[in-house]
Amino acid sequence: MSTQMLIYENAFPVSSRRHAQWSIEPSGDYAFSAKVNSVPLMAVEFPPAASEYAIVFAGNDKGIMPVVILGMRGNQNVYLNSAGNWDGKYIPAFIRRYPFIFSSDEQGKTLTLCIDEAYKGCNQADRGQRLFDEAGKATPYVDNVLKFLQNYQAQFQRTQAFCQKLKELDLFESMQASVTLPSGEKLALTGFMAVDRKKLKALSGDKLSELAQTDELELIYLHLESIRNFAGMRDRLTVIAGGKEDDAAPAPVRQQAAA
């Protein structure tokens, strides 16, 4: 699992002093995410994401979060086409918020809007959306960015609470996935977790009822069903390698509990 902040190369706080003449020109080019094989996913995104991505969990004792798998190699996103366009119906919010991001102080109480100045859509030629008007006031475009990130932050906290509940119920198990390509190359992905079906079934009726009433049981089943999408990962890798999807059919994707 890769370091997600790698998509931000040169993030600076947005300010009228530094960015008074800056504009952002959306390009539809997602090449900035070419070298990440997973990104965080908020719980609210499970329904639209589960049909085409494998949703798993990653983290440690300090915190666990859901992620969507974008590749089997550590530096390859197979959901990009050769032109840098996103090859999927749903684009995770983590990707859509780029080039903006919130940074926080050590206590996590103060959030500051930042922008990756390395984003190729940044310009001072008035192309696209201005960040500040002539009076130095943030434009409606920036206001909308702030609303999007504030909602993202709120969903992040809700997702953290969801994952903490699953951890307290001791539902996680370490997993790994393996893919065999038509060329014979074998790829393995480790370092993630999934909900253990046996542990889920063993929960008391009260615990299951509680999960159902908060819609968290539905999220769990969306996650479990999404694991099937590792098979589509193999097909994407085959196409990228110059083969045909049909060539990959005999070699199944395997998910198993890590030793």
Side-chain angles (χ1 to χ4, degrees), residues 15-20 132:
S15 69
S16 58
R17 175 176 296 183
R18 186 180 182 94
H19 303 107
F132 296 93

Side-chain angles (χ1 to χ4, degrees), residues 10 26 31 52 74 80 91 95 121 134 182 224 226 228:
N10 197 24
E52 55 184 336
L80 293 183
I91 303 175
I95 298 294
E134 296 303 325
L224 290 172
S226 78
R228 300 176 185 270

Side-chain angles (χ1 to χ4, degrees), residues 37-98:
N37 72 342
S38 64
V39 295
L41 191 77
M42 301 303 105
V44 71
E45 298 181 88
F46 278 34
S51 64
E52 55 184 336
Y53 302 95
I55 303 171
V56 298
F57 296 85
N60 49 43
D61 291 338
K62 295 182 179 180
I64 297 173
M65 284 292 291
V67 298
V68 288
I69 302 300
L70 302 178
M72 294 293 293
R73 298 185 177 94
N75 61 350
Q76 183 184 39
N77 176 359
V78 300
Y79 284 85
L80 293 183
N81 62 25
S82 59
N85 299 319
W86 197 269
D87 186 19
K89 296 179 181 178
Y90 182 75
I91 303 175
F94 184 91
I95 298 294
R96 285 185 280 120
R97 70 176 180 171
Y98 185 83

Side-chain angles (χ1 to χ4, degrees), residues 5-13 18-19 22 98-99 114-119 122:
M5 290 303 294
L6 286 178
I7 68 173
Y8 292 89
E9 298 179 21
N10 197 24
F12 272 88
R18 186 180 182 94
H19 303 107
W22 282 49
Y98 185 83
C114 297
I115 185 172
D116 187 354
E117 295 183 346
Y119 176 54
C122 294

